[in-house]
Amino acid sequence: MARIAGVNIPTNKRVIIALQYIHGIGKKNAAEICAKVNIPAERRVSQLTDAEVLQIREAIDRDYMVEGDLRREVAINIKRLMDLGCYRGLRHRRQLPVRGQRTHTNARTRKGKPKAIAGKKK
């Protein structure tokens, strides 16, 4: 099992798919990395040599912000919005949807379990 950017990537998958297990690398970036390192798209992780894994690791370290650094930057950006007190920051602070979604009926993922309205009588 290859370990890249602190993540064990699965050995039986194609390299482009396996690289997407790293936070901050999607389909486009994975294809870009494979092109830089000259790895064919159909190659599997188990078929990679140690030199190729090292090249992938160096390319990611050099050109991309992934895993802990990326998570830290996102958290700092959210904290900055909250400290500014702008609309998006207030939505984050209240744990409501940030990007304009309706909250009257939906948004259960963000709001949590439904809370019963106490003392409602006819």
Side-chain angles (χ1 to χ4, degrees):
M1 188 170 275
R3 189 168 177 85
I4 299 174
V7 176
N8 291 330
I9 60 174
T11 53
N12 56 341
K13 294 189 183 288
R14 294 186 5 244
V15 178
I16 291 179
I17 304 300
L19 285 176
Q20 293 177 43
Y21 280 71
I22 300 170
H23 181 75
I25 295 181
K27 191 179 276 189
K28 179 177 172 274
N29 286 342
E32 211 172 85
I33 291 166
C34 288
K36 283 181 187 173
V37 186
N38 296 323
I39 293 175
E42 64 276 354
R43 181 85 66 86
R44 304 226 172 233
V45 175
S46 57
Q47 299 169 340
L48 292 176
T49 64
D50 290 336
E52 288 173 330
V53 172
L54 186 64
Q55 282 180 319
I56 291 172
R57 194 176 294 134
E58 287 171 351
I60 290 173
D61 288 342
R62 183 179 60 241
D63 299 331
Y64 300 95
M65 183 180 291
V66 293
E67 284 300 325
D69 294 336
L70 181 61
R71 292 179 200 272
R72 193 174 310 107
E73 183 172 317
V74 169
I76 288 170
N77 288 341
I78 291 171
K79 187 177 183 320
R80 178 180 53 83
L81 290 171
M82 288 165 57
D83 291 344
L84 284 173
C86 64
Y87 181 78
R88 281 173 56 202
L90 295 175
R91 302 298 282 182
H92 274 293
R93 196 179 302 155
R94 294 181 188 149
Q95 295 183 344
L96 291 169
V98 177
R99 297 187 177 181
Q101 297 92 334
R102 66 180 288 135
T103 58
H104 178 69
T105 55
N106 298 332
R108 285 277 56 114
T109 300
R110 187 74 182 176
K111 289 167 71 174
K113 290 189 91 121
K115 298 160 196 80
I117 301 170
K120 191 166 187 176
K121 295 182 180 179
K122 280 191 171 181

